[in-house]
Amino acid sequence: MDNRNNTIAGWVLFAGICALGLTIGSSMLFAGHNPEKPGFPIEDAEAGAGGAAAVPIANLLAAADPVKGEAVFAKCAACHTIASGGANGIGPNLWGALGKPHGHVAGFAYSDALKGVAGNWDFEGMDAWLASPRKYAPGTKMSFAGLSSAEDRANLIVYMNSQGSNLPLPAPEAAAPAEGAAPAEGDAAAPAEGAAAAPAADAAAATPAPAAAKQ
């Protein structure tokens, strides 16, 4: 009888040990762990870009490089020439294009969409055209999707301007002061008229007049 009781007690103890082991193993397996080093949050690139203010085209042109613009023009050379007296290709010759009316090259079959754009080619218009011809002149036959880089467009425009146009570049716009920035020296508001004189007048009134000299 004692052996039987001992056997039962042994199995009960063994089962308890197994249950305890399974509990400990499960807690280790499914426990959550914090990383040793915190990661970086992933931000929406488009949302971040939407909040940035665009640099004015005048400022981009002031910093642009016509040598870099000539390299960008390689993307246009399949359809355009830019030398004086150059032949038209799929697109018109671009010599002296800035400052000229839209559709100014005689004999070239411009689309009605581009010929219908009023005014001349100016710097802002050329920038908008190079960014997206289809947005600038909806219905244009120009199949080029556009240059997404504002710096590339500015470099290309100053290069084009050097090829027969030579228009003066617009003056760069002054940068807006940061919100909360201290005013520059000399920008502090002047005191209201009479504000400085009033204390002086009050002080003079409070000073007793000297006694008259005896004759």
Side-chain angles (χ1 to χ4, degrees), residues 28 38 49 121 124 174 183 206 209 214:
M28 294 177 63
W121 284 113
E124 290 187 359
K214 293 182 179 181

Side-chain angles (χ1 to χ4, degrees), residues 71-126:
V72 177
F73 186 78
K75 300 179 180 181
C76 313
C79 301
H80 297 275
T81 62
I82 198 169
S84 177
N88 296 326
I90 298 175
N93 174 262
L94 297 177
W95 172 262
L98 283 163
K100 300 286 183 62
H102 298 84
H104 64 278
V105 176
F108 186 81
Y110 291 98
S111 65
D112 292 336
L114 187 58
K115 289 190 295 184
V117 178
N120 297 347
W121 284 113
D122 57 16
F123 294 111
E124 290 187 359
M126 184 61 73

